[in-house]
Amino acid sequence: MRTHQEIDERSLALHRLIAEKIERDPALFDHARTTLARWRIIVDGDSQPYLEEWERLMEQGREACLAVATEESEHATALRQCSPFAGVLTARERFLFLKNWTREHGHEATRA
């Protein structure tokens, strides 16, 4: 069983990988903007404050937004639970990340 701390650490590591990919290909930031716009329409009310925060961060620019996405703070940890960067990694990239994370942290990959 994973602890909340382990899940949060994995999410932070995943977002750092996403930020690296976006830095190599800044057009991917627009992909996250598109995801955010779609989610703002379809996601329930409880998540809307997080999505509004992501929208404000994105308006500040790529660097500012990614700085928060990869920040070690309670606020950033909460935001990552409703992250519009979900589709930036390919399925294969996400699988490889989870496989490596599992190997390094001793958990079954199927539960990731």
Side-chain angles (χ1 to χ4, degrees):
M1 173 75 65
R2 288 199 172 86
T3 67
H4 287 290
Q5 182 178 351
E6 290 170 326
I7 293 167
D8 292 342
E9 288 171 1
R10 183 182 69 189
S11 179
L12 174 59
L14 187 62
H15 278 76
R16 286 179 175 159
L17 179 63
I18 289 166
E20 290 171 10
K21 185 174 180 181
I22 291 172
E23 289 301 325
R24 289 190 309 272
D25 184 359
L28 292 172
F29 191 70
D30 291 331
H31 176 78
R33 282 183 189 268
T34 301
T35 298
L36 177 62
R38 186 175 68 249
W39 285 5
R40 294 275 284 140
I41 296 167
I42 63 172
V43 171
D44 70 31
D46 291 342
S47 298
Q48 286 299 326
Y50 296 107
L51 298 178
E52 290 170 8
E53 177 71 12
W54 279 118
E55 192 168 48
R56 281 191 294 276
L57 289 167
M58 287 183 168
E59 288 172 0
Q60 293 176 25
R62 186 179 76 239
E63 287 183 25
C65 185
L66 293 178
V68 172
T70 58
E71 183 179 278
E72 292 185 44
S73 70
E74 280 188 43
H75 179 68
T77 298
L79 282 174
R80 283 191 291 272
Q81 293 180 31
C82 189
S83 172
F85 295 103
V88 169
L89 296 180
T90 65
R92 177 157 176 75
E93 288 168 329
R94 187 173 190 282
F95 172 79
L96 291 173
F97 168 83
L98 293 172
K99 183 178 175 182
N100 289 333
W101 179 268
T102 299
R103 184 177 45 237
E104 293 171 12
H105 296 86
H107 295 290
E108 294 178 34
T110 57
R111 294 187 182 167

